[in-house]
Amino acid sequence: MTQPPHDEPTAQSPEELREQVENTRSELGDTVEALAAKTDVKARAQEKAGQVREQVAGVTEQAQAKAAEVAQQAQATAADVAHQAQAKAAGVAHQVQEKLPGTVKDTAARAGERARDKASEAGRLWEEKAPEPVRRHAARSAQLSRDNKRTLLLAGGGAALLWMVLRRRRK
C-alpha cells in the first residue's frame, strides 16, 4: 500500500474513504480534461482564429468609422474651399468689370449675344439631327452630372492631386 499524502488526513471510516476517493476522481477528471484541452491543437487553433476574427472585426469597424470621419472632414473642407474660391472669383470678376472700358464691355456683350445665338442654333440642330436614343442618353448623362456635381468635383480634384504627385515623383 502507498502512504497517503501528508497534507490530507487519513480516512477514519469507509464513508470518509469513499468520499476522498470520489473527490480524488473528480480532481483527476478535471486534470485530465484540462490536459486533453491543451493537447487538442485543432480546438485551440479554432479558438485563436475566433479571437483573431473578433480583433479584425473590431479594427475594421474602427477603420470604417475613421474613414467616414475623414471623408466627412474632406467634404466639409472641399465645400469651404469651393465657397472661398467662388467668392474670390466673384470679387475678381467685379473688379475686372469696373476697370473695363465701355467699348470692351459693349464688344463682350455683343460676343455674348452671338455665343447665345450660336448655342441656340446648335441646340436646334441637335434636336433635329440627333437620333432619339442618343438625345435620351445625353440628357440622362447631363442630369447625372448635375446631380453629382460635388462627387465629380472631388473625383476631379483627387485625380489632379494624384497626377501632380506622380509628376513630382518622376522628376
Side-chain angles (χ1 to χ4, degrees), residues 8 21 35 39 47-48 60 68 72 97 107 115 143 151 158 164:
E8 288 187 25
V21 167
L35 287 172
T39 59
E47 183 179 321
K48 187 66 175 176
T60 300
Q72 189 176 17
Q97 262 188 342
T107 304
Q143 185 61 44
T151 305
M164 288 176 9

Side-chain angles (χ1 to χ4, degrees), residues 74-89:
Q75 191 175 17
T77 302
D80 288 346
V81 168
H83 180 70
Q84 290 171 1
Q86 187 178 18
K88 184 88 169 178

Side-chain angles (χ1 to χ4, degrees), residues 12-44:
Q12 300 297 322
S13 69
E15 290 175 17
E16 286 181 14
L17 185 58
R18 283 187 193 103
E19 191 176 310
Q20 283 181 355
V21 167
E22 187 58 37
N23 285 340
T24 303
R25 280 185 184 154
S26 176
E27 289 174 7
L28 184 60
D30 291 344
T31 303
V32 168
E33 199 174 298
L35 287 172
K38 282 187 176 182
T39 59
D40 188 358
V41 176
K42 184 177 178 182
R44 289 177 67 191

Side-chain angles (χ1 to χ4, degrees), residues 13-15 17 34 50 58 73 75 86 99 121 124 127 135 144 158:
S13 69
E15 290 175 17
L17 185 58
Q73 288 173 352
Q75 191 175 17
Q86 187 178 18
K99 293 182 180 181
E121 176 71 15
R124 188 184 59 74
E127 290 294 325
R135 286 195 312 251
L144 280 172

Side-chain angles (χ1 to χ4, degrees), residues 52-72:
V52 169
R53 269 193 298 274
E54 288 176 10
Q55 287 175 342
V56 167
V59 169
T60 300
E61 188 176 309
Q62 289 175 350
Q64 286 173 340
K66 187 66 175 175
E69 180 184 327
V70 168
Q72 189 176 17

